[in-house]
Amino acid sequence: MCAIEAGKRGRRIVVLDHAERAGKKILISGGGRCNFTNLHTRAENYISANPHFAKSALARYTPQDFLALVNRHGIAWHEKTLGQLFCDRSATDILNLLLAECAAAHVRVACGTHIDRVERNGESFTVTTNRGEWQASSLVIATGGLSIPKMGATGFGYEIARQFGLKIVEPRAALVPLVFSQKDLDRWGALAGVSTEVTAAGEAKKAPAFREKLLFTHRGLSGPAVLQASSYWRPGEAVRIDLAPGAQVSTPVIAGARRDAATLKAALNEVLPARLASAWIEAAPPKGWSNAALEEWERGLHAWRVVPDGTEGYAKAEVTAGGVDTAELSASTMEAKRVPGLFFIGEVVDVTGHLGGFNFQWAWASGVAAGQVA
C-alpha cells in the first residue's frame, strides 16, 4: 500500500521481500479468504501505549476506501459478524489486487531478497542485499512482528529501529491461545473441542470484555473471545469468563418444585454444551439448595476466573503486540522524528488491532500515510 501510494506520486519504488513469494501472510489469513477490513474500525479497536496515535491514519484511509478498491477490481466479498469483510473466493484476490496496483504504479517487487545491512549516508540510505546494493532517500520498514515464524517472521524491524536509536515497546504474542495450568488441564482438558459463546476479559483495569465463542483445546483455551482477551493478558493475571452471558440458569430451579443436581444440570444444559455443563456441575456444585446458595452458584458461573500458565507463543499468535514506540514516530506520516526519511508502518509499530480485520486496516492506513510523503 505504501509502495502503491508513493508510486502514484512518481517516486521510483522497490519492495524488498525476503520471502520467495509476496503476501504469504495474506494468503493464510481468514482461513484463506482474507478478513481484509472491518466496517466498524475505530481507534478504540487498537492497543497501544498511545491510544490516540492511530487516529490520524485511520481517519484519512478508511475501510470504505479499501472496499472501494476491492470493488474496482471486481472482487466478490461478504460481511460476516461484527463488520468483518471477507473475500467470497480466496485471499489470492487481495494479493493480486495489490500486485496489480503495484504494477500500475511502476513499483518493482523483488522477492527472495535477503538484507545484510542498512546504513545511512548523509541524507540517503544504503541497503546491502544478496542481490546487490540499493540507495534511497526514503526507507520504509514494513516487516511485521514475530508472529508465525514458520512464515518467515523475524525481529528485523525492531533491529533496524534499535540501530537508529528508536525505542521499542517490548513485543509479546497477541491474539493467541492461552495454556492451562496443570491443575486446570487435569480438570478441563477432557473438554477439548467443546465450544460455547461467552464473555471474556483480561483482568487489567481497562481491559474490554468480548462476547464471542470460546473453544477448549488440548492445552487450554482458544476461540475468538479468548484470543481477544489474550491481547490484554499479562503473566500471573487472570482471565475472567462469563460462561452464560445474559442467562439466569438458577432461576427456574429456584422457582421450581425440585432443587437437586439433576434439575440444575437440566437447566444448565439449556445454556451450555452437555459435556461442559456436566463438567461444571462436577467441578463447581452449589454449596446447598437455598436461594442464597443457588444465587452464589449463579455468580460463579458468570465469573469463572482462569489464571493461564502462559500462551501458545508466537508460533500460534495472529499478531505481535508492542513494537516501535509511537512516541518516536509522526502520527500523520509514520516517519521517525529523529531520523528523517526512515518510516515504520503496520504491525512493526506499537499499534495492535483486535481480531476481525482491524490489523489489515491498520496496515492499509499506515501504509498510505507513509506513501503520501515518503
Side-chain angles (χ1 to χ4, degrees):
M1 287 299 284
C2 178
I4 292 162
E5 200 69 20
K8 290 176 182 176
R9 296 168 42 231
R11 297 283 273 162
R12 293 177 60 206
I13 309 293
V14 62
V15 177
L16 305 179
D17 191 339
H18 72 161
E20 297 301 322
R21 182 182 184 186
K24 289 172 71 174
K25 271 196 173 181
I26 290 174
L27 294 176
I28 67 167
S29 66
R33 293 199 175 180
C34 190
N35 181 190
F36 57 81
T37 193
N38 193 297
L39 293 175
H40 306 314
T41 298
R42 301 172 300 150
E44 290 77 10
N45 299 118
Y46 295 86
I47 304 166
S48 175
N50 177 0
H52 303 290
F53 180 83
K55 289 181 177 178
S56 176
L58 292 172
R60 288 183 292 124
Y61 193 84
T62 67
Q64 287 70 29
D65 291 322
F66 191 78
L67 186 56
L69 184 60
V70 168
N71 288 333
R72 282 204 302 275
H73 283 258
I75 297 172
W77 56 272
H78 60 276
E79 180 181 351
K80 281 194 175 180
T81 57
L82 306 173
Q84 302 170 38
L85 301 191
F86 289 78
C87 297
D88 281 0
R89 197 184 70 85
S90 168
T92 304
D93 290 341
I94 297 298
L95 177 56
N96 289 341
L97 174 159
L98 295 169
L99 293 175
E101 291 287 321
C102 278
H106 306 290
V107 170
R108 177 181 174 185
V109 179
C111 291
T113 304
H114 300 272
I115 296 171
D116 296 323
R117 62 181 182 275
V118 174
E119 299 168 299
R120 191 176 186 213
N121 306 299
E123 295 184 356
S124 68
F125 297 88
T126 300
V127 181
T128 304
T129 78
N130 63 320
R131 301 176 64 179
E133 284 189 351
W134 304 84
Q135 291 190 329
S137 58
S138 295
L139 179 65
V140 182
I141 307 298
T143 51
L146 297 167
S147 303
I148 320 183
K150 70 178 181 181
M151 297 294 293
T154 73
F156 177 81
Y158 310 139
E159 294 169 16
I160 295 298
R162 292 189 181 101
Q163 177 184 331
F164 287 97
L166 277 62
K167 295 177 183 176
I168 301 292
V169 175
E170 186 65 30
R172 67 184 192 281
L175 297 180
V176 62
L178 299 174
V179 175
F180 277 144
S181 66
Q182 188 58 54
K183 178 182 177 182
D184 281 334
L185 186 62
D186 292 343
R187 177 174 290 174
W188 309 109
L191 294 176
V194 172
S195 177
T196 188
E197 184 175 303
V198 304
T199 298
E203 203 170 36
K205 187 175 182 180
K206 294 185 178 181
F210 298 93
R211 183 167 177 171
E212 294 188 65
K213 289 283 188 179
L214 171 147
L215 173 68
F216 287 85
T217 73
H218 291 289
R219 297 192 64 198
L221 296 173
S222 188
V226 171
L227 296 182
Q228 298 276 39
S230 75
S231 294
Y232 294 85
W233 178 79
R234 296 292 191 280
E237 294 179 350
V239 174
R240 294 172 289 111
I241 299 170
D242 181 347
L243 285 169
Q248 286 295 310
V249 176
S250 62
T251 299
V253 182
I254 292 173
R258 291 180 56 189
R259 297 190 180 192
D260 55 26
T263 306
L264 186 60
K265 183 180 176 183
L268 192 56
N269 276 335
E270 294 293 318
V271 179
L272 298 181
R275 285 168 60 196
L276 176 55
S278 296
W280 187 261
I281 291 288
E282 181 180 342
K287 295 178 180 177
W289 298 103
S290 66
N291 287 5
L294 287 168
E295 288 165 0
E296 180 185 356
W297 177 88
E298 180 83 40
R299 286 192 292 273
L301 181 67
H302 297 287
W304 183 27
R305 188 174 178 273
V306 180
V307 180
D309 206 36
T311 76
E312 293 276 8
Y314 290 116
K316 296 291 182 68
E318 297 206 11
V319 293
T320 303
V324 178
D325 194 331
T326 57
E328 301 280 9
L329 308 176
S330 162
S332 59
T333 67
M334 306 294 126
E335 186 173 21
K337 295 175 181 177
R338 293 183 286 138
V339 189
L342 181 63
F343 299 76
F344 291 84
I345 58 176
E347 189 183 350
V348 75
V349 179
D350 177 35
V351 176
T352 305
H354 291 169
L355 190 69
F358 298 106
N359 287 292
F360 268 124
Q361 186 57 38
W362 170 244
W364 314 142
S366 61
V368 168
Q372 289 176 342
V373 296

